[in-house]
């Protein structure tokens, strides 16, 4: 094969097959070599510029200071800026429009709800539970049973200014005896089952009048207008047997015990500036000044749309 080379001057390698197929020894084309060298230079540049070479403890960091986290943060900030610009219009409307107008704008309302979830989770869920489902001794926000009213303006006022429900211990004059408290407790339990007129609880009904419970809870157990007092004609109890250590004088086992405790010791009853033993404690903090006016509006809409808004 190599012994006989009929093309000695063309620069072939001497490998010849099938009589005339030769392997030539040409240099690669210039463009190819340039690309090859350029690629090589790129690798060196890359290795200097970016984190590249693994070491025993880590890797070379590169002069660009690039990290995956930084790149992520940059694109995240870009996205945030984009969102801010995209929703600037809605944010502006939330800030400037009165609530009544916002409530008429379905789009804006949905936007307020969607952007409230974090705000609610950070500031409200600890007391009112996730999604407004309530916690023992804190009112549920996701139903249509309102202490202070379910109109958007009432909800807004509850959040902005805070609310403190006050109920005296042992009736308005504080003069109900233990026996009368037992009787009126039976009456309240009957009321919650729609049996307020049952003759068996007639004595309790009389105590209800004597204790002037009706001044706050209404003549039939339902406040005439929202005033912070509970509707007693439903089965929604804010104060359930909880035994959280705030009451040394009694142990609550049943819902009746919980009702009795509320009637006997009241709600937020203070003596010399301190809450008395066993009184129910509960205050809704005011958020004006702590949250922006816009965020308070946003939350009012969110609570209103949880289900029970009127
Ligand atoms: C420290 C616990 C606590 C936190 C935090 C809290 N609340 Fe309240 N909230 C209460 C209590 C207690 C009441 C009931 C007050 C009363 O007894 O009248 C209440 C009442 C309300 C009411 C009135 C309910 C009704 O039935 O009329 C609304 C609305 C409300 N809260 C919304 C919010 C929102 C929104 C947030 C978050 C910004 C929030 N709350 C944070 C404890 C809290
Ligand atoms: C000055 C107004 C006022 C008077 C008078 C009053 N209450 Fe209340 N009552 C309230 C407030 C405020 C609350 C606390 C808010 C709530 O209901 O969650 C409350 C709570 C209750 C609860 C707890 C409801 C629940 O869901 O756990 C019961 C039961 C109750 N009252 C019964 C009575 C009875 C019986 C009397 C009369 C002996 C009476 N109240 C007198 C204002 C009043």
């Amino acid at each position: 094969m190599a012994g006989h080379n009929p093309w000695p001057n063309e620069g072939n390698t001497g490998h010849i097959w099938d009589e005339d197929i030769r392997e030539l020894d040409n240099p690669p084309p210039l463009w190819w070599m340039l690309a090859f060298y350029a690629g090589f230079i790129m690798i060196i540049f890359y290795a200097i510029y970016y984190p590249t070479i693994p070491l025993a403890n880590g890797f070379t960091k590169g002069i660009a200071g690039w990290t995956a986290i930084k790149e992520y943060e940059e694109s995240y900030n870009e996205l945030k800026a984009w969102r801010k610009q995209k929703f600037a219009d809605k944010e502006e409307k939330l800030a400037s429009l009165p609530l009544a107008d916002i409530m008429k704008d379905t789009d804006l309302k949905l936007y307020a709800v969607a952007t409230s979830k974090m705000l609610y989770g950070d500031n409200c869920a600890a007391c009112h539970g996730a999604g407004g489902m309530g916690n023992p001794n804190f009112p549920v926000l996701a139903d249509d049973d309102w202490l202070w009213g379910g109109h958007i303006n009432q909800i807004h006022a509850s959040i902005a200014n805070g609310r403190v429900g006050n109920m005296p211990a042992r009736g308005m004059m504080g003069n109900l005896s233990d026996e009368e408290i037992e009787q009126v407790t039976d009456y309240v339990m009957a009321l919650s089952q729609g049996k307020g007129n049952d003759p068996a609880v007639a004595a309790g009904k009389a105590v209800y009048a004597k204790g002037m419970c009706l001044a706050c809870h209404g003549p039939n157990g339902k406040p005439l207008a929202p005033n912070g007092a509970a509707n007693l004609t439903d089965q929604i109890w804010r104060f359930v047997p909880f035994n959280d250590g705030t009451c040394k004088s009694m142990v609550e086992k049943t819902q009746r015990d919980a009702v009795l405790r509320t009637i006997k010791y009241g709600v937020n009853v203070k003596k010399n500036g301190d809450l008395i033993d066993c009184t129910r404690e509960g205050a809704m903090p005011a958020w004006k000044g702590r949250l922006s006016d816009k965020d308070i509006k946003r939350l009012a809409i969110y609570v209103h749309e949880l289900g029970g808004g009127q």
Side-chain angles (χ1 to χ4, degrees):
M1 180 172 88
H4 171 69
N5 188 345
W7 300 278
N9 298 321
E10 71 171 1
N12 67 46
T13 59
H15 296 154
I16 300 165
W17 295 269
D18 289 347
E19 303 298 324
D20 61 353
I21 299 176
R22 291 97 71 196
E23 180 184 25
L24 302 186
D25 189 18
N26 290 336
L30 183 64
W31 69 263
W32 194 93
M33 285 312 288
L34 289 178
F36 177 74
Y37 290 128
F40 202 73
I41 293 166
M42 280 296 288
I43 288 174
I44 294 170
F45 169 78
Y46 190 99
I48 296 172
Y49 197 70
Y50 286 115
T52 312
I53 304 165
L55 305 172
N57 290 314
F59 51 86
T60 59
K61 297 281 189 303
I63 58 170
W66 181 94
T67 68
I69 279 290
K70 254 195 213 158
E71 181 166 296
Y72 160 77
E73 277 169 0
E74 273 164 25
S75 45
Y76 178 70
N77 287 338
E78 250 169 56
L79 178 72
K80 261 205 330 212
W82 174 80
R83 285 179 58 114
K84 207 169 161 188
Q85 183 220 323
K86 181 167 154 96
F87 297 119
D89 177 40
K90 288 201 163 71
E91 288 291 329
E92 171 21 53
K93 276 195 195 162
L94 263 190
S96 61
L97 288 181
L99 271 171
D101 292 352
I102 300 174
M103 296 306 283
K104 283 186 223 138
D105 184 338
T106 312
D107 228 28
L108 195 54
K109 219 162 68 176
L110 288 177
Y111 174 75
V113 171
T115 50
S116 284
K117 285 179 186 143
M118 282 263 272
L119 204 56
Y120 178 87
D122 287 350
N123 297 293
C124 323
C127 290
H128 292 288
M133 294 312 289
N135 271 325
N137 296 1
F138 294 100
V140 173
L141 300 178
D143 62 14
D144 57 1
D145 193 51
W146 297 100
L147 298 169
W148 299 99
H151 186 275
I152 184 71
N153 291 341
Q154 292 166 317
I155 295 174
H156 183 267
S158 292
I159 302 170
N161 308 326
R163 300 281 197 189
V164 181
N166 286 301
M167 165 163 157
R170 296 180 180 270
M172 190 75 108
M173 299 299 149
N175 59 351
L176 299 185
S177 69
D178 282 353
E179 192 195 352
E180 286 170 322
I181 286 172
E182 294 286 346
Q183 290 167 338
V184 79
T185 300
D186 286 334
Y187 173 64
V188 169
M189 295 311 289
L191 265 183
S192 72
Q193 292 153 7
K195 294 180 187 154
N197 289 322
D198 198 325
V201 293
K205 192 173 177 177
V207 178
Y208 186 81
K210 179 183 173 193
M212 288 192 254
C213 315
L214 48 94
C216 300
H217 292 283
N220 301 308
K222 201 171 169 183
L224 298 176
N227 61 4
N231 177 356
L232 301 176
T233 64
D234 57 25
Q235 307 255 1
I236 301 172
W237 300 108
R238 164 157 162 218
F239 300 114
V240 294
F242 193 42
N243 301 309
D244 59 352
T246 57
C247 181
K248 289 170 197 75
S249 315
M250 68 178 282
V251 178
E252 302 162 84
K253 294 203 184 74
T254 61
Q255 184 57 47
R256 187 183 182 283
D257 294 342
V259 168
L260 186 139
R261 173 179 161 188
T262 309
I263 298 172
K264 193 164 174 182
Y265 301 99
V267 178
N268 288 320
V269 176
K270 288 187 177 165
K271 201 172 161 188
N272 305 327
D274 293 326
L275 291 169
I276 63 166
D277 182 40
C278 292
T279 194
R280 300 296 190 178
E281 184 182 2
M284 163 71 183
W287 294 90
K288 207 185 215 151
R290 281 204 271 175
L291 295 177
S292 70
D293 288 354
K294 188 169 71 173
D295 280 347
I296 292 176
K297 276 191 200 167
R298 203 193 299 273
L299 281 168
I301 298 165
Y302 175 75
V303 170
H304 186 270
E305 298 302 301
L306 279 176
Q310 288 151 9

